[in-house]
Amino acid sequence: MTSKLVRSTVLLSSILLLASCANMKKHGSGGGYGSDSDTVGGTPLPERQDGVNFMSDNVDKHQFPPVHFAYDSYAVSPDDESTLQSVAQFLQSNQNTIIIAGFTDERGTPEYNRALGESRAEAVRDYLVHHGADGGKLQTVSFGAEMPVDPASDEDAWAKNRRAEFGVVK
């Protein structure tokens, strides 16, 4: 009886995991931006710069406002296109590297949130590359549910925490 219960639990867990992966792919496809590899539009991700990370003192995290995402989605919203156009224009006229950090709300497993945060950062990178930015000046990182803007556990807080932020390397 116990082994039958264990097998049923494992089977159900596997089905739920596959369904959530399929759901994430479905919700992320809006707008056509995002990546499933180490390239975006044929542009490889750049090498990480030594001594530079999103939390470094030589990274300005206040030059551009964050962009936000719907629940369980990495689709770029039309509401954020003006911000993204500003970032793309900045990259076209400056030599700076930008680190795009993806974040999620607290719901979901740490692994799922880290993957969703990375998909959000890559979707923003993809958008910027498709709008003239040099992909070699863009790096991505995911913090998942770490570092919430609002630590509350309600819809308003979750909406603020589902975001991608820009760090301009000085």
Side-chain angles (χ1 to χ4, degrees):
M1 176 79 170
T2 302
S3 70
K4 188 174 185 180
L5 178 62
V6 169
R7 278 186 279 172
S8 297
T9 302
V10 169
L11 179 62
L12 179 60
S13 297
S14 298
I15 291 170
L16 290 173
L17 178 63
L18 290 172
S20 69
C21 289
N23 192 35
M24 181 178 165
K25 190 70 167 173
K26 177 180 74 178
H27 289 294
S29 63
Y33 301 104
S35 171
D36 291 330
S37 69
D38 288 343
T39 64
V40 175
T43 304
L45 293 170
E47 294 294 320
R48 301 281 182 196
Q49 292 180 354
D50 287 335
V52 175
N53 67 57
F54 189 73
M55 301 310 294
S56 296
D57 290 337
N58 62 339
V59 174
D60 179 3
K61 293 178 282 300
H62 304 290
Q63 188 161 347
F64 298 103
V67 296
H68 292 89
F69 296 87
Y71 173 70
D72 198 31
S73 173
Y74 57 94
V76 172
S77 169
D79 295 342
D80 290 312
E81 288 184 4
S82 65
T83 295
L84 294 171
Q85 288 294 335
S86 295
V87 175
Q89 289 171 355
F90 173 85
L91 285 166
Q92 290 169 358
S93 60
N94 292 279
Q95 293 302 312
N96 302 74
T97 296
I98 290 184
I99 302 170
I100 305 163
F103 298 89
T104 66
D105 61 39
E106 66 189 49
R107 298 172 290 179
T109 65
E111 296 82 12
Y112 179 81
N113 285 337
R114 193 60 67 102
L116 181 57
E118 185 65 25
S119 294
R120 288 174 176 169
E122 289 178 355
V124 169
R125 181 184 188 276
D126 191 17
Y127 181 98
L128 293 171
V129 168
H130 281 89
H131 287 85
D134 178 355
K137 295 192 232 176
L138 294 166
Q139 296 180 4
T140 60
V141 65
S142 174
F143 291 99
E146 297 174 32
M147 299 185 298
V149 171
D150 187 337
S153 291
D154 58 38
E155 192 55 50
D156 287 339
W158 294 331
K160 292 175 196 171
N161 294 331
R162 295 188 304 258
R163 69 196 189 281
E165 293 184 5
F166 303 95
V168 179
V169 180
K170 300 176 192 175

